Structures are given as structure tokens and as C-alpha cells.
Amino acid sequence: MSRIIMLIPLNNQVGSTAISLSMLNFFNKNKYRKDMNKPILYISCQSNSLDHTTVLIKKYFSSFVHILNNIDFSNIYFGSDIYISLINTIIEICYKKKKLYELIFIEGLSHEKNLYSYQINHDIANSINAEVVLITNINRYSLNSIQDKEDQIKFFLQQYHYKKFIGVIFNEMNFIYLGKNISFIKKIKFLKKIKEEKKKTIIVKRDIKTSLYPIIAYIPWNQDFMKIFVVDIYHFLNAIPLHIDNINFRIIETVIIFNENNKDILKKINSHILIILPWTQIDIFIIFFSKEYKFNNISAILLTGQCQSIKHSIKICQIFIQNGIPVFFLKKNIIDILYKLQSFYFDLNIKEKKYIFKLQTYMSSFFNVKYLNIIKKKSDTHINLSPREFCYRLKMLSRNSKKRIILPESYEIRILQAASMCYDLDIAQCVLLGDRKKIYNLAKDQGIHLNKNIEIIDPDLIRDKYMARFIEIRQHKSINEDFAYQQLRNNIILATLMVESDEVDGMVSGSINTTASTIRPALQLIKTESVSSLVSSIFFMLLPEKVLIYGDCAINIDPTAEELAAIAIQSSCSAKILGIESRIAMLSYSTGDSGCGRQVDKVRKATDIVRIKRPDLIIDGPIQYDAAVSKEISKLKSPKSSLVGDASIFIFPDLNSGNITYKAVQRSSQLVSIGPMLQGLRKPVNDLSRGSLVEDIIYTIALTSIQAI
């Protein structure tokens, strides 16, 4: 099983490409499982044509890194249909590819590519349970600015809670400040000092255990390694050339904006200067240059402002050209040029293979292996599916089962919409029960496209076929044919009998009928499984970061201890089918031995019954809801609880508390609730809420299809 790691930039121009390449190289050399020799899958969240990492992987690293194409979140609105489609695509890819690759590495979206980048990156990471690495820089060099940056990260993590967060990389390699009279040499010395102070800060924090996040790496500027060449600045500014011979080998250490008042500064700097020269100052500079200055100190000259023509400019600049100094110009003003230079980055695409390898080695040497090679402990391996993963799993399992699910309420608009979408998504094979002409006319009036391949059965043509079977099942009630015929005029009863007779695999109903109208025929005709006479229900509550199961919230009014135990066991079986690990909380108004009374004793007895019947299950009860969902409260109220504040299944002591809670959570939090899914019947029949949305109906159809496997 592969790991999924996502690199998320907190700022623009933080060197995501360099970090990504270094991490890919690191994981290729430091496999977290030595027996795995599978390649790495790389996914960029922006168009591959815009992604520098993709270009370099294709160029140098295709032997062990495969690239996924056509994922582009640039300029897409958060929550739009296109956005949701892309999210679902990533989930599907990760689900299908996780056995083929040792590592799925995702490079997140930068803020300059999409203003919703923080929300999008957070949504992607939590939807696929990715391990998250944040990457940032420090744009002012002082101890206070470092503290400010740490505070910003803490605030960011409070706003965007990641399910699996590894730590932060501070990358100073790709950030430079090119401003008036700023010496690179002084800056580098200052950075080295800050780096040492940073190390001390980290050590102190670790000793007193107050750091809220791990620091994976602090990558300092390296003057000898990350030299700025004139050619880099020339290409970055997209400047107009006047004379550009030898720019590939000239480096820049200092940037000076020339004016007649700062001539003395030029005399003090020995070499590697980029001079930004306004056209209005060129005559003064030429006089100064020809009389007092050593030309070999200048790496290049950037002319700014308006000029008459290229020919005229070359003529004026002959003194520089004759001395072999590269000259280029921009029509922008100095403020605009400086602003752009502050966002300068190293264009790795033009670098040769040797340089890239050197870069990877340098950067990865700062990685804290302890944090990057994390392998989850056994106690932390339980599955918390994200809502989108869960919904994708529903669709995938239903798609694979290819079961026929009958929908007796075929004159309801939402049912027709759901049937149409199920066909398009290949989720189950919906069977509509009703008059074909009436159904098609209704669909046409509502703008619903019903594919001709969707099966429609006219109930008037098949009722007689089920008369004998209905009378046989209900013979203990001494019913006659007239009564049976009247009963079978109810499409829900007819559809239930079709399920019982194996004509279809399951039924979904209740969008316009009561729960009793759906469940009573199922109990009378399909009946319960041989192992239990109890039918119960569960709801799947799709919280922002995980899926919880609530039961029983629809069927049993005041279950006994034995019935509560049966509900818990049934719910754990349903959870297993859908990939959710069973961690059962038997809910009560008290936790452990803190309370007493008939209801508490009932829950305590039910918990004991489950432990005897299914000792393999993780269960605790009686327990209060807060202690079942919060690690902090669990430590206070129930420190020995096996749930550790992370329950996935919640069994309510009665229908009153269960129904109220599920609806309160659903409506107050505005989250999707799928269900009720009925448990304990010999064949699957599921009830819909009369307030169900089309999406709810689709997922209930998928659940029913999965139950029929």
C-alpha cells in the first residue's frame, strides 16, 4: 500500500519545484519499505504545461517517477461542478493506483494560480487522507520575523485542520531581496547567523515541548551553490538585448540603482554588480564610468525608461559594449522592476542535469528523516474515510456489483432524476415500476433525460404473476384473492414481492411514503435473517473530515439490552462492508461507572453482551457522546477507554435520542446524511426520508446494491 504525500505552498515563489524534486529523490533513495521497488506517481494540481516539476521529471527522472496528466485546478472556482469533478478524479486515481506505486506525490496549488488555493489544497489533502508537508519562506530576516512566521503557520493550521500533517519546510534557497544598495554578501552572512539562532530556537522548543508543528527542514541560502547569473535575470525580466555576449557565465552579487548621489557606493564594491541605470542618468554614468570606475566590477547594466530606438541605444552604450559588459533594457520604471525582481526565482528548466542533481543533494541533506519516514503505529491504523472517499467507495462497489434495484415511486421527479444519474454514472441498474408512457412524459416535462435502456416495468402487466406467492406467504392471515389483488395494487408491496422472489436484487422507497409503508411489507414478505429477528437502521453522517455511523435512528423505539447488542453487531458488519473500521460507542447520559439507572444499566448490559458474542470488536459503554468523539475529553472522563475518543459507530439507547440527534447534527451542520439503511432483512430494502435530495437517493440506491452482493 502506497503513501500519499502532498506538498502545499503557503506563499508564492517558495521553490516548490526544487523541493518537490528533492523529496522525490529522497523517497526514491530512502524507501520506507525496503522490499518495495515500485515507482513513484507524481500529480500536479496545475496544468502540466505550466508545471516546472513536470518538465524536469520528463527530462531527467522518468525512470522512477510517472506523471499523471490533465489535473488542473488553476482558475477554477472552489465548489464548482468542474472542481467537484476534478476532486472525484483525484480520489479515483489514488484509490486505483495506490497498489501500483510506492508513493503518490502531489504538488499542491500556489496562491498565484488560484485565489482559493488554501481551500482547494485542504480539500484535496483531507479527501484522500494525504500526509501534508507545508513549504514556506521568511521574507524578512530577523528573529521577530521568524516568530511571526511561526505564529502565521499556527494560525493557518487552526484554520485548515489536516488529518495527517507531517510538518513544515522553510526554504530560503529561492527567495532573494534585490533592492537599493543591498549586498548579497552581507545578506548571506546575516542568514547564516539567523540559521544558527533558528537552530537554538528549535532545540529550546523541542526541549520544553511547546512547538505545535515539526520542522522538517530549514534550507538556507548557499551563495556558492545558488549563484545568480546575468542570464537568469535577463530571461526572468524578459528584457530587450543590446549586447548580451558572455551573460551565461557572469554572476550577480549586488544590485545598485545608479544616481549621481550614490557614486561613492560603487567605488566600495569590488565585483559582480548589476547596475540599474535610468536613461535620464546615462550621461552622468558614462562620465563616471570612463573616468573613475573599473569596468570589470560590473556584471551587467539594465537600462530603464524610454529610449529613442535600438540603434540609438547601442550607439550610446558603445563604451560598455567595447568593454564586454552585457547591456539590456526595459521600458518599465524602476519601482516596477524592483517589485518584479523581489519575486525572482531560479528557472530550473534551463539548468543542466548536473546542476539539478546537485540541488537535490543539497536540499535533501537538510531533511529530518525522522519526520519524513513516519510509519503509523498499530494503535493509529484505524480507517477514517473522508466523506468523498466514502462516496466514491459507494459508487465503485455498486458499479462492480451491477445489481438491479427497483424503485416503486416512479412518478416522483427526484426518483426519475436519480435513476437517470445512476444510469449515467453506472451505479446499479435501476428498475422503474410504472406506466412507461406516463414516466417518459413526466421526465420530458421536467427536462430529465431517461435513457431508453433504463428498465421500466408496467405493474398492471405483472400483478397476477405474484398473486399466488403473496397468498402463500400471508396464508396464516387467511386472506383471499380479492384482498391480495387490492394489496398488490400498492406498488411498494408489489416491488417488495419482486425482491422476495429474486426478480430484482433490492428496493428503495419512501421519498413520498412513510417509513412504515416501506418497512411493514418488507417485514411481512421478505422477513428477517435467520440469525436475528431484529431489523434496525443506521445513518451515515458525512462530517467534514470523516464518516460516522448512527444507529438505530429510525426503527426500534425502546430496544432492550439484547436488541441494542444486536444493533451494534449489525452496524459493525455494515461498516466492514463499506470499509469503515468498527469502533463502537454505546451511548448513554453517563460514562463508565459515573451514573446509574435503568437506561444506563441497559446500555452497560448491552455492551457486555457484545463483548461476549464478538470479542474482536472495539467497543465501550456506557459512554457519553463527547467522550466518544474527543481525545481530550476521553482522557478526563474515560482514560482507559479502548475508543480513545475516536469512535466511528454510535449506538443510541432509544429511538427518541437517536432520531433527534441525527436530525440536529444533519440540519445544524448542513451535512449530508445517507440513510436510513435497514439491517437484518434477508434481502435489502431501504427507506428514504421524504425530504431526501436527489444525491441522497443515489447514495441509498448504491448502498442497497452493495447490500445485495
Side-chain angles (χ1 to χ4, degrees):
M1 194 70 68
S2 66
R3 292 174 70 183
I4 303 175
I5 292 180
M6 186 168 178
L7 185 68
I8 296 177
L10 293 183
N11 316 100
N12 295 330
Q13 306 299 348
V14 293
S16 295
T17 294
I19 294 294
S20 292
L21 292 174
S22 301
M23 291 188 73
L24 290 170
N25 182 61
F26 173 86
F27 282 109
N28 184 53
K29 291 182 176 179
N30 300 276
K31 300 180 185 299
Y32 73 98
R33 275 185 52 186
K34 298 299 181 184
D35 60 325
M36 294 185 73
N37 293 305
K38 297 176 183 177
I40 295 170
L41 179 64
Y42 170 78
I43 302 173
S44 173
C45 289
Q46 64 183 16
S47 171
N48 291 137
S49 62
L50 302 174
D51 179 46
H52 298 296
T53 312
T54 297
V55 174
L56 289 166
I57 288 173
K58 288 179 178 178
K59 198 172 181 181
Y60 300 128
F61 308 106
S62 57
S63 61
F64 68 89
V65 181
H66 296 172
I67 298 169
L68 179 75
N69 296 310
N70 303 321
I71 299 293
D72 186 9
F73 286 90
S74 305
N75 302 315
I76 287 179
Y77 288 108
F78 179 71
S80 66
D81 290 342
I82 297 175
Y83 169 79
I84 292 171
S85 176
L86 280 174
I87 284 280
N88 289 335
T89 298
I90 285 189
I91 292 171
E92 184 170 0
I93 287 163
C94 291
Y95 193 89
K96 289 182 176 179
K97 302 287 187 182
K98 60 186 176 183
K99 292 184 179 179
L100 302 177
Y101 294 93
E102 179 173 358
L103 172 67
I104 297 176
F105 186 89
I106 301 173
E107 187 172 329
L109 201 62
S110 66
H111 206 57
E112 64 184 340
K113 301 298 181 185
N114 195 313
L115 295 178
Y116 300 99
S117 63
Y118 296 153
Q119 296 96 316
I120 291 173
N121 289 330
H122 176 262
D123 201 16
I124 293 171
N126 281 359
S127 292
I128 58 178
N129 284 308
E131 300 173 67
V132 170
V133 175
L134 301 180
I135 175 173
T136 188
N137 55 29
I138 300 172
N139 52 13
R140 293 191 309 275
Y141 302 100
S142 68
L143 286 177
N144 287 337
S145 66
I146 292 173
Q147 185 60 54
D148 289 344
K149 178 62 69 172
E150 290 191 341
D151 292 340
Q152 289 172 21
I153 294 171
K154 291 173 187 176
F155 181 72
F156 178 84
L157 290 173
Q158 289 170 355
Q159 282 188 302
Y160 299 98
H161 174 69
Y162 291 100
K163 291 162 69 174
K164 295 180 180 178
F165 173 62
I166 301 179
V168 181
I169 293 176
F170 288 92
N171 180 29
E172 299 305 318
M173 289 291 284
N174 282 61
F175 184 86
I176 61 172
Y177 180 81
L178 300 178
K180 182 177 178 180
N181 304 334
I182 297 294
S183 167
F184 280 5
I185 297 173
K186 290 180 180 179
K187 175 177 173 292
I188 291 160
K189 289 179 179 178
F190 188 50
L191 269 176
K192 287 179 179 178
K193 180 181 177 183
I194 292 297
K195 180 189 170 187
E196 294 302 318
E197 292 173 335
K198 176 73 175 171
K199 282 183 178 178
K200 294 175 184 177
T201 305
I202 294 169
I203 292 169
V204 171
K205 285 190 172 182
R206 285 178 183 162
D207 287 344
I208 60 177
K209 299 181 180 179
T210 59
S211 181
L212 294 182
Y213 57 87
I215 297 175
I216 295 173
Y218 181 81
I219 305 172
W221 177 273
N222 186 318
Q223 179 190 17
D224 295 329
F225 180 62
M226 296 295 284
K227 293 177 180 177
I228 298 177
F229 289 86
V230 173
V231 66
D232 295 326
I233 299 295
Y234 168 72
H235 285 300
F236 179 71
L237 294 175
N238 196 23
I240 299 170
L242 297 180
H243 174 72
I244 55 172
D245 290 350
N246 301 318
I247 64 171
N248 291 329
F249 306 102
R250 288 175 170 261
I251 66 171
I252 299 171
E253 289 183 351
T254 307
V255 177
I256 295 293
I257 302 169
F258 179 82
N259 62 60
E260 58 183 327
N261 297 320
N262 68 355
K263 292 182 289 187
D264 293 338
I265 295 175
L266 283 171
K267 296 176 183 178
K268 296 177 182 178
I269 300 175
N270 294 323
S271 61
H272 306 310
I273 306 171
L274 170 65
I275 295 178
I276 299 177
L277 178 61
W279 275 105
T280 55
Q281 297 285 317
I282 193 166
D283 293 336
I284 298 170
F285 182 74
I286 288 174
I287 295 170
F288 169 77
F289 177 84
S290 58
K291 291 185 177 180
E292 302 184 43
Y293 198 65
K294 297 178 181 178
F295 69 87
N296 57 357
N297 289 356
I298 301 175
S299 295
I301 295 174
L302 172 61
L303 295 169
T304 69
Q306 294 292 331
C307 64
Q308 294 181 10
S309 67
I310 297 291
K311 287 184 179 180
H312 177 71
S313 302
I314 292 174
K315 184 178 179 180
I316 291 178
C317 294
Q318 277 300 310
I319 188 171
F320 310 135
I321 295 171
Q322 290 170 2
N323 284 285
I325 299 173
V327 183
F328 40 91
F329 82 92
L330 287 173
K331 293 182 179 180
K332 296 180 179 180
N333 62 47
I334 290 176
I335 293 176
D336 290 339
I337 292 172
L338 287 177
Y339 179 78
K340 186 169 178 62
L341 283 175
Q342 287 185 45
S343 63
F344 170 79
Y345 63 90
F346 291 89
D347 188 355
L348 297 179
N349 293 340
I350 65 174
K351 301 297 184 182
E352 59 185 19
K353 188 174 183 178
K354 183 178 179 181
Y355 180 91
I356 300 297
F357 285 175
K358 187 178 178 183
L359 173 69
Q360 289 177 313
T361 302
Y362 175 79
M363 285 191 155
S364 59
S365 68
F366 290 89
F367 291 163
N368 190 322
V369 178
K370 179 178 72 173
Y371 292 128
L372 288 181
N373 279 347
I374 291 174
I375 301 175
K376 293 290 181 182
K377 299 176 182 177
K378 280 190 174 182
S379 61
D380 196 28
T381 56
H382 56 275
I383 302 169
N384 272 337
L385 290 178
S386 70
R388 283 201 174 95
E389 276 184 300
F390 176 74
C391 291
Y392 170 75
R393 186 175 177 84
L394 286 186
K395 293 175 183 177
M396 186 273 297
L397 291 174
S398 177
R399 193 175 296 149
N400 293 341
S401 71
K402 298 190 181 300
K403 298 298 182 180
R404 296 171 71 238
I405 306 302
I406 192 161
L407 308 173
E409 300 167 320
S410 298
Y411 303 136
E412 164 59 34
I413 303 303
R414 290 168 296 161
I415 294 293
L416 296 182
Q417 289 174 322
S420 175
M421 293 180 69
C422 282
Y423 182 86
D424 293 340
L425 296 169
D426 195 23
I427 297 173
Q429 299 176 28
C430 294
V431 179
L432 298 173
L433 191 60
D435 179 83
R436 176 179 294 271
K437 185 177 180 180
K438 184 176 179 180
I439 288 173
Y440 275 120
N441 286 338
L442 186 60
K444 184 179 179 181
D445 291 342
Q446 296 295 324
I448 302 168
H449 172 69
L450 277 184
N451 191 285
K452 299 295 183 183
N453 293 323
I454 294 176
E455 187 177 358
I456 300 175
I457 297 176
D458 190 334
D460 292 338
L461 302 179
I462 63 169
R463 284 196 184 93
D464 291 345
K465 176 182 175 181
Y466 294 98
M467 286 278 291
R469 181 57 180 160
F470 183 80
I471 293 171
E472 179 185 353
I473 295 173
R474 303 291 289 160
Q475 61 183 338
H476 63 286
K477 294 291 185 179
S478 301
I479 63 173
N480 56 35
E481 288 190 4
D482 288 339
F483 179 81
Y485 184 78
Q486 289 300 320
Q487 288 290 296
L488 289 174
R489 288 181 66 83
N490 183 324
N491 279 359
I492 294 178
I493 294 175
L494 179 59
T496 305
L497 204 53
M498 292 174 70
V499 175
E500 191 277 334
S501 303
D502 290 331
E503 296 292 329
V504 290
D505 300 301
M507 181 184 84
V508 172
S509 180
S511 65
I512 55 175
N513 288 282
T514 64
T515 296
S517 298
T518 298
I519 296 175
R520 188 181 297 113
L523 291 172
Q524 293 172 345
L525 301 173
I526 295 174
K527 302 185 178 180
T528 59
E529 296 172 328
S530 57
V531 295
S532 174
S533 60
L534 182 76
V535 173
S536 65
S537 72
I538 55 174
F539 283 86
F540 297 92
M541 310 298 290
L542 275 56
L543 274 63
E545 295 177 1
K546 59 184 175 181
V547 179
L548 302 180
I549 293 176
Y550 285 4
D552 177 358
C553 305
I555 306 295
N556 296 283
I557 297 174
D558 188 14
T560 64
E562 289 74 16
E563 288 171 334
L564 274 181
I567 294 168
I569 293 171
Q570 287 176 342
S571 301
S572 71
C573 293
S574 298
K576 184 178 180 180
I577 292 171
L578 297 167
I580 299 174
E581 184 176 352
S582 297
R583 301 171 66 81
I584 307 169
M586 305 295 285
L587 296 174
S588 176
Y589 58 77
S590 71
T591 296
D593 298 324
S594 65
C596 60
R598 185 182 67 84
Q599 288 283 14
V600 177
D601 293 339
K602 179 179 75 170
V603 173
R604 185 176 290 112
K605 182 179 178 182
T607 306
D608 292 338
I609 293 171
V610 175
R611 285 174 174 154
I612 293 170
K613 289 186 175 182
R614 291 290 304 275
D616 58 306
L617 294 178
I618 299 173
I619 187 170
D620 194 12
I623 188 169
Q624 291 166 287
Y625 193 97
D626 56 357
V629 297
S630 168
K631 290 181 172 62
E632 290 75 17
I633 296 175
S634 177
K635 289 177 183 178
L636 293 173
K637 291 187 175 183
S638 185
K640 295 182 179 179
S641 173
S642 56
L643 298 177
V644 199
D646 195 16
S648 59
I649 299 174
F650 298 80
I651 306 301
F652 291 88
D654 53 53
L655 184 59
N656 199 39
S657 59
N659 193 271
I660 290 171
T661 302
Y662 111 75
K663 286 186 175 176
V665 172
Q666 179 192 28
R667 300 301 176 184
S668 299
S669 302
Q670 296 183 330
L671 53 81
V672 175
S673 172
I674 301 175
M677 186 181 96
L678 302 186
Q679 308 173 130
L681 290 169
R682 288 193 304 111
K683 295 180 181 175
V685 169
N686 281 313
D687 178 44
L688 295 167
S689 167
R690 278 166 284 179
S692 293
L693 302 175
V694 174
E695 185 181 25
D696 302 331
I697 298 171
I698 291 170
Y699 288 130
T700 303
I701 291 170
L703 278 172
T704 309
S705 178
I706 295 166
Q707 283 182 289
I709 297 175

